[in-house]
């Protein structure tokens, strides 16, 4: 049995959400604020996203620079960052986490825990892509790590599966590594339209974009030799390549949350949380992509900073809220966050995603058949891979003893 160490706030994950939470908490005098990061350096995904697109519109930054600024802010405020340390599980009694790091196993008891473990892309196996199991198959995260952190050689010809922002980031990384990008392949028939098309044309002119197409088989023994692609009309073709990158299709990194028995939301598959980032487990908060894979880094950082406010209230003795009223979505909407309504924890707004463009650009909020709110989403054109926002002004009309709130498009 390892000795138990005590801290005031334990933050798990040193990405934008965790670092922003730690900076705010340490600056506000929350006591000993400790951040655990399993990687050798803090920074989360931006650390290995060498492209620009982080920071703000007026002050765009590369991922590594953004990660450095957040890290410095947390350290300057007085938070302790412990890298190479993985939070493994929970021990009995309050928020107590077991960890392992360079110094061996440890048990840390905290007055509050902020889970900020981010999200991961579903790998080939989880996407049930048939075929052989050759080398040369990766996700964007694995690709960026290999190229930007370890300078590894990737391959000579690559196919990118997906056609959203992260897919174009993967194509950029491949090109930077000297790999020819043979094609972007997506099942989405609309990837030729709107922002994605403009972006592809501007940044990756010359890379064929195959829409309404599915990668049905990986070929090759030892090393990948090609991917079989089926078009909507049933035609198939083999694209010769030695690398395939599966992009997008993110899921929250929720293993620790599951092990802690936190209630997960059926839409996001992250912990259910209210507008002050309380989870179902007293003393445990959640923020960032763990709650909604994947939003821009500044959203994650903002949530971390806002969660810090609620953590301070908790440390000052505020009672933990009851589970509250669940907020669910109907198809084609896929998820909404925050997804619990509790008294006194109204967020500025909710974030939503849709699976396909809804027939009518109107959002309805109902509880037990009662219309609470009706509005147009922002932005008005609701597309998959684009964040929608919904005001939270209807919260005070929710019956705390009623059934779930449902958000739908009709
Ligand atoms: C390829 C790619 C490109 C992107 N490009 C942009 C862009 O251009 N602009 C933009 O604004 N956003 C971009 N994003 C999104 C942005 O990176 C994320 O929104 C942001 O990183 C989320 O922050 P986070 O803190 O929630 O999670 P993360 O950044 O994922 O950080 C989570 C951290 O938790 C650690 N961790 C997880 N489990 C444990 C554990 N058990 N113990 C200890 N540590 C743990 C992880 O190692 C990780 O460092 C991109 C994302 C991807 C994947």
């Amino acid at each position: 049995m390892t000795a138990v160490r005590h801290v005031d706030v334990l933050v798990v994950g040193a990405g934008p959400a965790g670092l922003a939470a730690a900076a705010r908490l340490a600056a506000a005098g929350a006591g000993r604020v400790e951040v655990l990061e399993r990687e050798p350096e803090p920074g989360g995904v931006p650390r290995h996203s060498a492209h620009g697109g982080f920071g703000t519109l007026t002050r765009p930054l590369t991922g590594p620079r953004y990660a450095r600024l957040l890290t410095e802010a947390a350290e300057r405020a007085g938070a302790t960052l412990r890298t190479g340390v993985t939070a493994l599980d929970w021990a009995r009694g309050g928020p107590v986490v077991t960890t392992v790091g360079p110094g061996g196993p440890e048990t840390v008891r905290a007055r509050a825990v902020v889970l900020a473990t981010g999200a991961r892309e579903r790998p080939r196996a989880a996407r049930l892509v048939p075929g052989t199991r050759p080398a040369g198959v990766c996700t964007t995260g694995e690709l960026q790590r290999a190229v930007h952190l370890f300078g590894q050689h990737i391959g000579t010809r690559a196919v990118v599966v997906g056609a959203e922002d992260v897919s174009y980031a993967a194509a950029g990384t491949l090109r930077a590594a000297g790999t020819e990008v043979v094609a972007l392949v997506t099942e989405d028939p609309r990837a030729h339209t709107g922002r994605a098309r403009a972006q592809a044309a501007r940044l990756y002119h010359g890379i064929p974009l195959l829409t309404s197409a599915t990668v049905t088989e990986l070929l090759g023994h030892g090393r990948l030799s090609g991917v079989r692609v089926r078009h909507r009309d049933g035609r198939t073709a083999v694209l010769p390549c030695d690398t395939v990158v599966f992009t997008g299709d993110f899921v929250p990194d929720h293993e620790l949350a599951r092990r802690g028995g936190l209630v997960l939301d059926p839409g996001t598959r992250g912990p259910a949380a209210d507008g002050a980032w309380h989870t179902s487990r007293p003393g445990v908060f959640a923020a960032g992509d763990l709650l909604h894979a994947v939003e821009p880094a500044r959203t994650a950082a903002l949530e971390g900073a806002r969660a810090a406010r609620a953590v301070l209230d908790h440390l000052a003795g505020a009672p933990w809220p009851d589970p509250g009223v669940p907020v669910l979505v109907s198809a084609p909407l896929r998820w909404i966050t925050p997804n619990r309504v509790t008294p006194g924890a109204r967020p500025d707004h909710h974030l939503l995603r849709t699976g396909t463009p809804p027939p009518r650009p109107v959002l309805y909020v109902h509880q037990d058949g009662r219309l609470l709110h009706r509005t147009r989403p922002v932005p008005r054109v609701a597309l998959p891979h684009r964040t929608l926002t919904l005001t939270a002004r209807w919260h005070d009309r929710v019956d705390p003893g009623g059934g779930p709130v449902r958000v739908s498009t009709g």
Side-chain angles (χ1 to χ4, degrees):
M1 176 85 181
T2 55
V4 180
R5 215 159 48 75
H6 292 255
V7 300
D8 291 288
V9 186
L10 187 69
V11 179
V12 184
L19 290 171
R24 188 62 70 92
L25 285 161
R32 185 172 171 83
V33 178
E34 194 167 288
V35 187
L36 305 183
E37 171 53 55
R38 64 185 171 193
E39 296 282 327
E41 303 282 338
V45 170
R47 191 169 73 92
H48 53 78
S49 298
H51 56 277
F54 292 86
T56 61
L57 280 179
T58 50
R59 199 185 172 204
L61 299 167
T62 65
R65 175 96 182 103
Y66 180 69
R68 256 194 320 279
L69 287 179
L70 289 176
T71 301
E72 284 163 13
E75 285 178 328
R76 227 180 11 253
T80 304
L81 308 191
R82 297 182 64 223
T83 53
V85 181
T86 304
L88 293 177
D89 211 340
W90 304 79
R92 291 227 272 187
V96 186
V97 173
T98 59
T99 74
V100 69
E106 236 192 5
T107 302
V108 186
R109 175 182 291 278
R111 296 168 65 207
V113 170
V114 179
L115 292 180
T117 49
R120 58 169 182 264
E121 283 163 303
R122 295 204 315 140
R124 174 261 177 108
R127 300 179 196 220
L128 302 177
V129 180
T132 55
R133 308 212 150 254
V137 182
C138 62
T139 60
T140 316
E142 289 162 347
L143 169 75
Q144 292 193 328
R145 225 174 284 251
V147 172
H148 297 307
L149 297 186
F150 307 120
Q152 285 170 356
H153 174 68
I154 296 302
T156 52
R157 286 167 57 83
V159 166
V160 173
V161 182
E164 50 184 291
D165 290 358
V166 68
S167 322
Y168 300 124
T173 301
L174 286 163
R175 282 194 157 177
T179 307
E180 180 193 350
V181 184
V182 179
L184 286 107
V185 180
T186 174
E187 292 180 10
D188 184 355
R190 284 169 300 271
H192 265 309
T193 61
R195 185 164 149 231
R197 181 184 178 189
Q199 192 171 21
R202 196 174 69 248
L203 295 179
Y204 303 109
H205 184 69
I207 301 178
L209 175 59
L210 307 184
T211 55
S212 303
T214 310
V215 171
T216 55
E217 189 180 359
L218 302 192
L219 307 166
H221 296 281
R223 180 83 197 192
L224 184 75
S225 62
V227 299
R228 194 182 304 282
V229 173
R230 191 184 59 236
H231 297 272
R232 194 169 39 182
D233 61 8
R235 280 180 304 122
T236 63
V238 171
L239 302 177
C241 58
D242 57 14
T243 305
V244 60
V245 187
F246 288 94
T247 69
D249 198 357
F250 288 94
V251 282
D253 227 328
H254 58 204
E255 299 308 333
L256 197 59
R258 282 164 54 110
R259 281 179 169 275
L262 273 65
V263 173
L264 299 186
D265 177 74
T268 61
R269 292 182 278 176
D274 70 7
W277 322 118
H278 299 102
T279 69
S280 61
R281 183 168 172 158
V284 181
F285 297 78
D289 280 355
L290 170 64
L291 292 177
H292 48 61
V294 155
E295 293 295 317
R298 66 181 169 281
T299 303
L302 211 60
E303 287 173 1
R306 288 191 179 143
R309 269 191 246 153
V311 173
L312 291 167
D313 290 344
H314 172 68
L315 297 180
W320 199 257
D322 288 336
V325 178
V327 186
L328 307 173
V329 291
S330 298
L333 299 175
R334 285 177 46 220
W335 55 251
I336 185 165
T337 180
N339 36 46
R340 287 288 185 278
V341 174
T342 59
R346 195 172 100 169
D348 291 345
H349 53 252
H350 293 262
L351 303 180
L352 301 92
R353 289 283 179 118
T354 185
T356 55
R360 282 182 300 158
V362 183
L363 295 175
Y364 297 88
V365 185
H366 284 96
Q367 184 186 30
D368 299 327
R370 193 164 54 94
L371 180 66
L372 304 181
H373 192 70
R374 181 189 162 191
T375 186
R376 287 186 179 276
V378 179
R380 286 199 176 188
V381 181
L383 293 173
H385 316 307
R386 184 184 282 186
T387 310
L388 304 175
T389 58
L390 168 67
T391 172
R393 284 200 303 269
W394 44 270
H395 274 217
D396 49 13
R397 304 188 61 204
V398 172
D399 173 3
V405 167
R406 188 163 284 277
V407 181
S408 65
T409 56

